[in-house]
Amino acid sequence: MTVNKRNPQGLLLEEVLLYEQSHSGRMGVDFRAVSLSKDEQRTGLPLRESIELPEVSEPQVVRHFVRLSQKNYGIDSGFFPLGSCTMKHNPRLNEKLARLSGFSQIHPLQPQSTVQGMLELMFNLQNWLNELSGLAQTTLCPAAGAHGELTGIMMIRAAHEDKGNARKVVLVPDSAHGTNPATAAMNGYKIVEIKSDTNGLVDIQALDAAIEKHGTDIAAFMLTNPSTCGLFEPNILNIAEKIHKIGAYFYCDGANFNAIVGKIKPADLGIDVMQYNLHKTFSTPHGGGGPGSGPVSVCAELTPYLPIPLVVKEGDNFKLIEEAPKSIGKIKGYHGQAGMFVRAYAYMLSHGKDGLKQVAEAAVLNANYIMHSLKDDYFMPFNGPCMHECLFTDKQQKETGVTTLDIAKGLTDYGFHPMTTYFPLIVGGAMLIEPTETEPKEAIDEFILTMKELANIAQQNPEAIKQMPQHTPRKRLDEVTAARNPILTYQMSRQTQA
Amino acid sequence: MRYIPLSEQDKQQMLERCGVTDINALFCHAPQHTLDPAYNLPNHMGELEVERHLVSLANKNKDFAHNTSFLGAGCYRHHIPATVDMVIQRSEFLTAYTPYQPEIAQGTLMALFEFQSYISTLTGQPVANASMYDGATAMAEAALMAQRVTKRSNIVYDTDIHPDYKAVLKTYLSHIDGEFTESASPAETVNEQTAAYIVQWPNFKGDIADLNKLKSTCQQQGALLIVVVTEIVALGILPAPNQADIVVGEAQSIGNAMSYGGPHLGFFACQESMVRQMPGRLCGQTTDADGRTSYVLTLNTREQHIRRAKATSNICTNQGLCALAFTVHMSLLGEQGFKQLAQINHQNACHLADALTSLNGVQVLNTTFFNEFVVRLPFSAPKLVADLANEGILAGYALNDTDLLVCATEMTTNEDMHHLVQAIRIEIEGK
Ligand SMILES: Cc1ncc(COP(=O)(O)O)c(C=O)c1O
């Protein structure tokens, strides 16, 4: 026993991998005894010998994960203004309902007559999204936002192919999220980047030039509206007209739908296809990185290409359509992230059309309030009003040497989750702040004061910020070594130590 | 609205700071005629009303808590220890996001590192990522990675792969040049233009192939062997598929409910040489400024947020919480528990097979299986499924007119088996 290793850490409890807590013979489950007779070995292969899983008891597992949870920060912990991610409150009601055995303990292949309630819920959810978008029909299949994008561009491709030519190019603004170009590339399209203008908006001249150059080779324009700079694209109707004129489709990345849900119908803006991120706008928990859900709504012209299945109502019965001649086919196993549908549907019913309008308005008001409160302390690359998120950069802190990274790390020392940093890429040192509608004004005010204080420290004692964070479970990490010599499993870590 | 804290007074003060008097002034860049359209939707509801409505929908479904089931086919009902749901409902896990700020996300990161370690050791592959959407998309991504790694475009896949997995593969590859050949005889179809041969293990009908033979067929042609596992519990009884170059599949069975097909848990494991071609997130071990062991997302230059159009995949949000559920459940099982679980599944399946073959005219088609196999019936399989559903028995998955895919897990009791056998006996004797 090494006594001198003990430091008083208060409640900042250290925790090691379960592998390092393993003792042969410990178990966290009790099964009936089993020993397979010769006749009970029908796999055609010898029984597996060693796997190398840790051996621990239930109390150890519980304590391990509770301790790990205490090293994490979630929305329930505090303000989480991670731009573009819509970290809003996740109602526990939705978790409770998704766990009803009638939803959680049903199998995707059981006869449809035995899951009418689930199909009705999916049908209703499709209809809610149809109504909120003003578009014709919605697929619930995609697993997340990026998967919805993939599905949307696949449908666009199929529609063009149907007209005899898949076309070659997808236009993507340089402010777009990385999933947009990656999605278009996965569909075999060449990406032509459209520069943003000095206001952070689509540069109409650049768009015209691209249209001039690529003409009917253009399959689609992928726009995020409100944009990744938090701005509503004022020329959107004009853009839609230009895109439609060359027979291309107008795709909208709906990750930022929270700003306009219940307030504006995307179809009225000329949009043909849009994905939602149910884990953003409709509050299904982010879960430390998923599961998400990425339904896609499309205009009437694109409905034949929707993936399968689609839920329809025939008389009093709900039914899955599992074959459609022009469908792009299946994009995920079974029917989508059904557990997320239950949560999103409960969220929608809780809000109703009046509540959703309040969601958009409060989200936009909160962001503008922050923008106006911090505009003297941080550089604002574009003028407002903003929508659900506001964008600053570290330009004003330049001569102090303090960067966006430092501000972000500083925030963690004050008990806040940082904003999104270094995205969008079109401004240097981006700080994208999205408060969402579920924050009380007091929390927002506290955040504003903290941001002001950090701006002050940056001026007066920049070195202090460079040392932050000090009060978090870990200080800054050596990310360079992590990437240079990747240690991705316990087994690799042991080899490295050996 | 109970989720929105702003009071009227708050709003007035905030609007004032923004220099406007009306909220719509903040929407001034939107085409004004598009603001506040009519919605054909109800107004908000209280918690009680929402709960009543959803409970009534849930009650219309025949769930496995109140019915007997032999359904598997890529989605399995296993017992989930209470600890799993307690952990994944911890706020700090449930309401966090992708751990971009590692100093305050060590919980998620360490759990992902353990997840990767478990998947790696189960599959016999040196590296694993931090999850994919599901088994079907993981398989499609594996085919795409094989094309990148081998610089070949043709894919050959076995006949007995889950139909949804085949369908998703087809969709993902639809615009890519190259041939996609379904073939049960790879020795004849895999050639020097083949990027990969894909086999499900155990396959969709439950049979278990000899991977050594497939490995040598692939090796001779320089093609990769992709092994797809839809029932990860099988890896507690089968030797690790370390003949494969890539092992992908579905890990829903451990820690995750069936939930009508999602969210489930795709996994992706492969040889170390391919790590920079992998899709999805990877968590790595490192140290912090004080030299303490820490965890961080790494090799990000493969990913869309850095590499954009040249990324290895567009995947961003994945199945984080499902991976956590898996990790908690697998930690409880441990070395012995996981093997026992697999053995109990197999033993129950053997008993079910014996009970069914004791019936006149019923035949098990498999020579090998784990917890799932095909029975040939002397009458219509789809009709049996439909008839028994009315009696609260989900008999299995009808593959065609006579063949039924049935599954037994640790949840299957002798009484359940007896029910099914009796029901089939009545059908036979009724003829
Ligand atoms: C603007 C934007 N588009 C697309 C995505 C991708 O969504 P997902 O992570 O659900 O795949 C995100 C978020 O991650 C985003 O912020």
Side-chain angles (χ1 to χ4, degrees), chain A residues 174-248:
Chain A
D174 57 2
S175 58
H177 194 258
T179 50
N180 292 189
T183 292
M186 269 179 96
N187 265 294
Y189 282 114
K190 183 177 162 231
I191 287 89
V192 171
E193 207 170 77
I194 305 297
K195 291 262 159 288
S196 299
D197 68 13
T198 51
N199 299 315
L201 303 167
V202 174
D203 184 330
I204 298 295
Q205 279 177 351
L207 178 63
D208 284 340
I211 289 175
E212 177 80 33
K213 180 158 175 209
H214 300 285
T216 53
D217 272 348
I218 299 170
F221 181 45
M222 283 182 100
L223 181 76
T224 310
N225 185 65
S227 75
T228 60
C229 305
L231 302 172
F232 196 99
E233 183 57 57
N235 297 312
I236 195 158
L237 294 174
N238 186 15
I239 291 170
E241 199 183 316
K242 288 174 192 287
I243 297 305
H244 290 147
K245 209 180 231 163
I246 51 167

Side-chain angles (χ1 to χ4, degrees), chain A residues 83-85 143-149 175-180 224 226-228 253-256 275-280 292-294 389 423, chain B residues 97-98 100 133 281 304 314-318:
Chain A
S84 208
C85 298
H147 205 220
E149 294 171 33
S175 58
H177 194 258
T179 50
N180 292 189
T224 310
S227 75
T228 60
D253 178 341
N256 293 339
Q275 110 277 354
Y276 312 82
N277 299 46
L278 294 189
H279 45 300
K280 297 180 179 175
S293 180
E389 54 196 357
F423 174 78
Chain B
Y97 202 14
T98 309
Y100 291 124
Y133 300 136
R281 305 216 188 276
Q304 46 75 28
N314 71 339
I315 191 169
C316 182
T317 296
N318 45 62

